[in-house]
Amino acid sequence: MVELKTDTSIDAMREAGRVVARALAAVRAAAAVGVSLRDLDDVAHQVLKDAGATSPFLHYHPEFAPVPFPATLCASVNDAIVHGIPDDYRLRDGDLLSADFGAHLGGWAGDSAISFVVGTPRPEDVRLIETAERALQAGIDAAVVGNRIGDIAHAIGTVCRAAGYGIPDGFGGHGIGRQMHEDPSVPNEGRPGRGMPLRHGMVLAIEPMVIGGGKDGFHAAPDGWTLRTDDGSRAAHAEHTVAITDAGPRILTAL
């Protein structure tokens, strides 16, 4: 069931979104050659504590995972697409890092992700990240009253495929509100004019994921959480929590 949020609830979700945005900005500022992924999780966790918020990621245990997620931040490096567990890996010059973060504040959730290069960027990585961001913006632009879920999916997929990139099947965005994951699912590829109609008060986490090698294959790493590209190519991930309103899409996780 899809819960339509009131305007007051959307304002409250914006406050949770601000916490997410601040945490991701802090992670990006702290990410440097030699810094460990665990250090970045500590940075993000401190932002939560300072805001009086809690983590929807920490101890989250969906059916597919062998163990609960052990951190507040998903930190996915290079060929890791999403769900990377922060560990003692120390960032190297040229690493592509995707950071995904969530917050619960005042009973509401926010969820967002960014991708960036640590140190010296490779042109192909810059293009990959820019494509993920353009796909996200295309999805947001399609998130208007009167459209359907398929219009968002089609907008995202069109940008990704036109750039020659792969899209991991079965992973995409979702509804969000009191819980981090709610109905409906928001695929990253689909047919326009199909799926649930978009209405004022729906709030969605829109999150394109792109695989640089151009193929869609991926697999779960031995930790049961991290998804890696089958061909070893790099991946990028971008995400915002977006409210659908009569006045147009409202991004709740922007700074």
Side-chain angles (χ1 to χ4, degrees):
M1 184 178 72
V2 175
E3 177 192 5
L4 298 180
K5 281 72 176 178
T6 65
D7 292 346
T8 299
S9 296
I10 291 172
D11 287 341
M13 291 189 70
R14 173 62 175 139
E15 295 310 306
R18 290 184 201 277
V19 176
V20 176
R22 290 199 300 270
L24 288 175
V27 166
R28 185 166 193 158
V33 175
V35 174
S36 76
L37 301 181
R38 203 180 304 275
D39 291 338
L40 297 182
D41 183 60
D42 290 341
V43 167
H45 198 181
Q46 188 62 51
V47 174
L48 278 183
K49 290 193 286 187
D50 290 346
T54 59
S55 171
F57 289 12
L58 185 63
H59 305 315
Y60 178 58
H61 196 182
E63 291 182 359
F64 69 80
V67 296
F69 195 77
T72 64
L73 176 74
C74 291
S76 306
V77 179
N78 297 334
D79 67 324
I81 306 168
V82 287
H83 302 163
I85 297 175
D87 56 17
D88 292 327
Y89 176 84
R90 295 192 177 274
L91 293 166
R92 302 170 184 173
D93 186 52
D95 276 347
L96 194 167
L97 174 64
S98 296
D100 189 355
F101 191 73
H104 265 134
L105 182 69
W108 297 100
D111 187 10
S112 184
I114 58 174
S115 294
F116 57 92
V117 175
V118 177
T120 309
R122 306 186 309 176
E124 56 267 37
D125 290 340
V126 172
R127 179 174 178 267
L128 184 67
I129 293 167
E130 288 177 345
T131 299
E133 292 171 347
R134 285 193 297 109
L136 173 58
Q137 188 59 55
I140 293 170
D141 291 343
V144 296
V145 173
N147 272 359
R148 292 176 176 266
I149 291 291
D151 294 304
I152 298 175
H154 178 71
I156 292 170
T158 297
V159 171
C160 298
R161 294 301 188 190
Y165 295 137
I167 300 172
D169 183 46
F171 286 86
H174 49 89
I176 183 171
R178 293 286 182 182
Q179 303 299 321
M180 178 174 60
H181 289 137
E182 297 182 353
D183 291 333
S185 61
V186 186
N188 286 330
E189 194 167 30
R191 297 177 64 181
R194 299 295 183 92
M196 182 178 293
L198 304 180
R199 298 171 58 191
H200 179 91
M202 291 176 68
V203 183
L204 307 174
I206 300 173
E207 51 177 324
M209 307 158 195
V210 288
I211 297 174
K215 297 182 179 179
D216 299 348
F218 66 93
H219 61 276
D223 63 27
W225 275 100
T226 309
L227 300 184
R228 296 191 178 277
T229 62
D230 281 349
D231 61 7
S233 65
R234 294 186 171 195
H237 177 205
E239 178 184 16
H240 270 310
T241 296
V242 180
I244 296 166
T245 79
D246 290 329
R250 181 183 177 190
I251 301 174
L252 304 182
T253 44
L255 273 175

